[in-house]
Amino acid sequence: MFEQLGLIGCGLMGGSFALAMKRAGLVKRVVGYSKSPSTTERARQMGVIDVEAPSALLAVSGADVVLLAVPVAATEATLKAIRHLVTHKMLIMDVGSTKRDVVDAARRVLREHASSFVACHPVAGKEVSGVDHADADLYHGKQVILTPTERTDAEKVQRAVHLWEALGSHVQQMTPEAHDAAFAAVSHMPHLIAFALMQSISSQPHGKEFLSLAGPGFRDFTRIAASDAKMWRDILLANKQELLEQCSAFRRSLQAMELMIETGNGDGLEEVIDKASQTRANWRMGPGRK
Amino acid sequence: MFEQLGLIGCGLMGGSFALAMKRAGLVKRVVGYSKSPSTTERARQMGVIDVEAPSALLAVSGADVVLLAVPVAATEATLKAIRHLVTHKMLIMDVGSTKRDVVDAARRVLREHASSFVACHPVAGKEVSGVDHADADLYHGKQVILTPTERTDAEKVQRAVHLWEALGSHVQQMTPEAHDAAFAAVSHMPHLIAFALMQSISSQPHGKEFLSLAGPGFRDFTRIAASDAKMWRDILLANKQELLEQCSAFRRSLQAMELMIETGNGDGLEEVIDKASQTRANWRMGPGRK
């Protein structure tokens, strides 16, 4: 049980966390701050936060748990804004989709207090953003990856594990590097591809007509292309190295299939598709989930 | 109202069509044939068809409407098998995902009877196949593209339009060429990409671990990768030219984004993602649907 959550960023991710914490009876009071005053006000009106803080620094004052729910590129500036009120007693977490850059920023900015920072990536989200879409169930049944380092306080890691598990999440721990390599493959690449395909089709002379004919397969395939532009710009840039490696691997696979199509190599094509199809048919999302 | 449907191919697409026709009271009797005798038997046991035909030819005998629901690559051989019993009174349709090859095969094989053939593409499907997944609602609310040519009997086209509309489908007409260009972009490319991405990830040393971490975005993005291998091999090969053009366009878009990531061009990246995101957010599937 926590006394006070300092929430920095009251959008979809932060707002959902506050609602889930409250519903689970894990926190007495939520003090929130968002860059946009109208978001902070809306969050209070909706009961997502109890008190509006006039700055990130003041959102942290008196908190025993702090959540940074800001775009990954804003992490360092946010940590700088709050560092003067960070104490050893606080548990500080984030929800960013990349971890190497966030862990580095925490070490640079928080110095010895970086031991209180437990980097988190809840594998949950929606293609819509904003506090209006905040949902107390967002993290329930979802995976949350923690990427503590050898400098992270072990007791803080345990508190973070218990907190997420109390929200119904499945917690895993790994290094920031392993995290970033995996999510380049299974999250950042699919987003990059979905954006590139939308761009490719819509910039063609008949793109609009083509899109008007698309069916349910296209609908699901491109759902993630509707994601927030600033947030994904930051993620793709933050995980540049791993992402470009995945991009090369993907282009090799695509070009091999193109060659099979061009040369009419039906057997080779069927073999690749069959393996892909079986791998996908046997895949299940995360532990304990469908 | 039809007297007898001759159904060739009693799988997901054919079986769903027979069930929908029966439920709508549009046909008195369904005579079915599948290459695999166990499929034909199962279709009869399930009430999808009323009578098992021992051959494609005999499924056509006495029918006033015929549906070819076989893989696109099997269209020409199937038309050859039935042509001796095709009459001017019959309405003959298919459900293939490519149309130029199907229309060409019909003209070659059926000769003067090709006027009875109305090429159809119902934009509906599932990532599972087989008669066990047949569903009377599969075509309801979905688009069906008809690609008649100047040789097609106008009265047959009208009957096909009325039939599909009676099943709750939204009917559009276009040339086979326009159809194939559009579906290369919005259906065949997404499938090819989904197969290539699964292949790219699963062939990496840590592929299995990566896949175990994937979340809801990946789940929806790769749903179509579980599609049937033989069916998609045939579609990708049948629409080779349009598909390879779409592939080039997509690779140009992807490489432009890679370059922006590599050079840290955040503004350019945000602009592309923002446009893609808005296009996708404003997109709605087909007429009268969500």
Side-chain angles (χ1 to χ4, degrees):
Chain A
M1 178 65 163
F2 295 91
E3 284 295 319
Q4 186 172 315
L5 166 64
L7 180 65
I8 304 175
C10 304
L12 173 71
M13 302 297 282
S16 298
F17 182 82
L19 288 176
M21 287 285 281
K22 287 183 164 199
R23 194 179 60 181
L26 288 172
V27 70
K28 288 189 188 159
R29 194 168 50 253
V30 179
V31 179
Y33 167 76
S34 264
K35 205 175 155 191
S36 146
S38 63
T39 298
T40 322
E41 196 188 336
R42 178 91 185 109
R44 194 187 45 75
Q45 285 168 348
M46 288 173 66
V48 168
I49 65 172
D50 304 303
V51 180
E52 296 178 45
S55 68
L57 182 67
L58 289 172
V60 168
S61 174
D64 47 356
V65 57
V66 170
L67 190 80
L68 270 60
V70 299
V72 282
T75 304
E76 185 151 3
T78 307
L79 289 170
K80 280 180 182 161
I82 66 169
R83 68 175 153 194
H84 296 297
L85 287 182
V86 165
T87 70
H88 275 298
K89 289 191 178 169
M90 279 178 192
L91 166 64
I92 311 170
M93 303 183 295
D94 78 315
V95 295
S97 297
T98 54
K99 295 274 68 86
R100 178 71 268 169
D101 61 325
V102 165
V103 166
D104 285 348
R107 195 174 46 218
R108 272 195 305 271
V109 176
L110 299 180
R111 311 263 174 105
E112 75 282 9
H113 286 310
S115 60
S116 297
F117 184 82
V118 181
C120 303
H121 175 201
V123 188
K126 298 184 181 180
E127 70 276 21
V128 290
S129 55
V131 69
D132 287 323
H133 299 285
D135 172 1
D137 280 320
L138 186 65
Y139 304 113
H140 188 87
K142 302 286 162 53
Q143 291 193 100
V144 175
I145 318 292
L146 308 189
T147 62
T149 68
E150 70 288 352
R151 300 175 185 222
T152 317
D153 182 356
E155 187 261 334
K156 293 283 160 56
V157 177
Q158 273 317 302
R159 283 169 71 188
V161 170
H162 291 148
L163 185 161
W164 287 108
E165 285 180 350
L167 301 185
S169 307
H170 303 279
V171 179
Q172 279 199 63
Q173 296 184 39
M174 62 184 70
T175 65
E177 291 75 17
H179 171 279
D180 286 1
F183 284 89
V186 300
S187 173
H188 310 164
M189 264 314 285
H191 279 82
L192 176 59
I193 290 171
F195 298 138
L197 185 72
M198 287 305 298
Q199 140 90 5
S200 166
I201 298 175
S202 63
S203 62
Q204 293 176 34
H206 295 285
K208 275 201 177 173
E209 294 156 60
F210 291 175
L211 289 173
S212 75
L213 295 166
F218 180 86
R219 177 195 59 206
D220 293 353
F221 185 81
T222 58
R223 180 178 65 78
I224 53 177
S227 300
D228 184 68
K230 280 191 172 50
M231 176 180 151
W232 277 94
R233 172 200 65 190
D234 292 347
I235 293 170
L236 300 183
L237 290 173
N239 201 16
K240 171 176 158 172
Q241 194 184 326
E242 294 289 352
L243 182 59
L244 291 176
E245 277 178 34
Q246 288 298 329
C247 230
S248 301
F250 167 72
R251 280 205 279 109
R252 279 195 299 275
S253 289
L254 184 62
Q255 282 174 310
M257 293 186 77
E258 278 185 81
L259 187 65
M260 288 169 183
I261 292 165
E262 203 163 356
T263 58
N265 178 1
D267 290 346
L269 197 58
E270 186 185 338
E271 199 184 319
V272 175
I273 300 175
D274 195 46
K275 208 183 147 198
S277 173
Q278 286 185 31
T279 305
R280 179 56 182 80
N282 293 326
W283 175 82
R284 290 293 173 275
M285 196 170 79
R289 291 174 293 138
K290 267 199 170 176
Chain B
M1 176 64 163
F2 294 92
E3 285 293 319
Q4 185 171 316
L5 165 64
L7 180 66
I8 304 175
C10 303
L12 173 71
M13 302 296 282
S16 297
F17 182 82
L19 288 176
M21 287 285 282
K22 285 182 164 200
R23 193 178 61 181
L26 286 174
V27 68
K28 289 189 186 158
R29 196 168 49 252
V30 179
V31 179
Y33 167 77
S34 265
K35 206 174 153 190
S36 144
S38 63
T39 298
T40 323
E41 198 188 333
R42 178 91 184 108
R44 192 186 46 75
Q45 285 167 350
M46 289 174 65
V48 168
I49 64 172
D50 304 302
V51 180
E52 296 177 45
S55 69
L57 182 67
L58 288 172
V60 169
S61 174
D64 48 356
V65 56
V66 169
L67 190 79
L68 270 60
V70 299
V72 281
T75 305
E76 183 151 4
T78 306
L79 290 169
K80 280 180 182 161
I82 66 170
R83 71 173 152 195
H84 295 298
L85 288 182
V86 165
T87 69
H88 275 297
K89 289 193 176 166
M90 280 176 191
L91 166 65
I92 312 171
M93 302 184 295
D94 78 316
V95 294
S97 296
T98 54
K99 298 273 67 90
R100 177 73 268 168
D101 61 324
V102 165
V103 166
D104 285 347
R107 194 173 46 217
R108 273 195 305 272
V109 176
L110 299 180
R111 312 264 171 104
E112 76 280 10
H113 286 311
S115 60
S116 296
F117 183 82
V118 180
C120 303
H121 175 201
V123 188
K126 299 184 181 179
E127 71 276 21
V128 289
S129 56
V131 68
D132 287 323
H133 299 284
D135 174 0
D137 280 318
L138 186 66
Y139 304 113
H140 189 86
K142 302 288 163 51
Q143 291 194 98
V144 174
I145 318 293
L146 309 189
T147 63
T149 67
E150 71 287 353
R151 300 176 187 217
T152 316
D153 182 355
E155 186 262 335
K156 293 283 159 59
V157 177
Q158 272 318 301
R159 283 169 72 188
V161 171
H162 291 149
L163 185 161
W164 287 106
E165 285 181 350
L167 301 185
S169 306
H170 302 279
V171 179
Q172 279 200 64
Q173 297 183 38
M174 61 183 69
T175 65
E177 291 75 18
H179 170 279
D180 286 2
F183 284 88
V186 299
S187 172
H188 310 162
M189 264 316 283
H191 278 81
L192 176 59
I193 290 170
F195 298 138
L197 185 72
M198 287 306 296
Q199 142 90 6
S200 166
I201 298 174
S202 63
S203 62
Q204 294 176 32
H206 296 284
K208 274 201 176 171
E209 294 155 59
F210 291 176
L211 289 173
S212 75
L213 294 166
F218 180 86
R219 176 195 60 205
D220 293 353
F221 185 82
T222 59
R223 181 178 65 77
I224 52 175
S227 300
D228 184 69
K230 281 191 171 52
M231 177 180 151
W232 278 94
R233 172 200 65 191
D234 291 348
I235 292 170
L236 301 183
L237 291 173
N239 201 16
K240 171 176 158 173
Q241 194 184 325
E242 295 289 352
L243 181 59
L244 291 175
E245 277 178 33
Q246 288 298 330
C247 229
S248 299
F250 167 72
R251 280 203 280 110
R252 278 194 301 274
S253 290
L254 183 63
Q255 282 175 310
M257 293 186 77
E258 278 183 81
L259 187 65
M260 289 170 181
I261 292 167
E262 204 164 353
T263 58
N265 178 0
D267 290 346
L269 197 58
E270 186 185 338
E271 198 183 321
V272 174
I273 299 175
D274 194 47
K275 207 182 148 197
S277 174
Q278 286 185 31
T279 305
R280 179 57 182 80
N282 293 326
W283 176 81
R284 290 293 173 275
M285 196 170 79
R289 289 174 295 139
K290 266 198 173 176

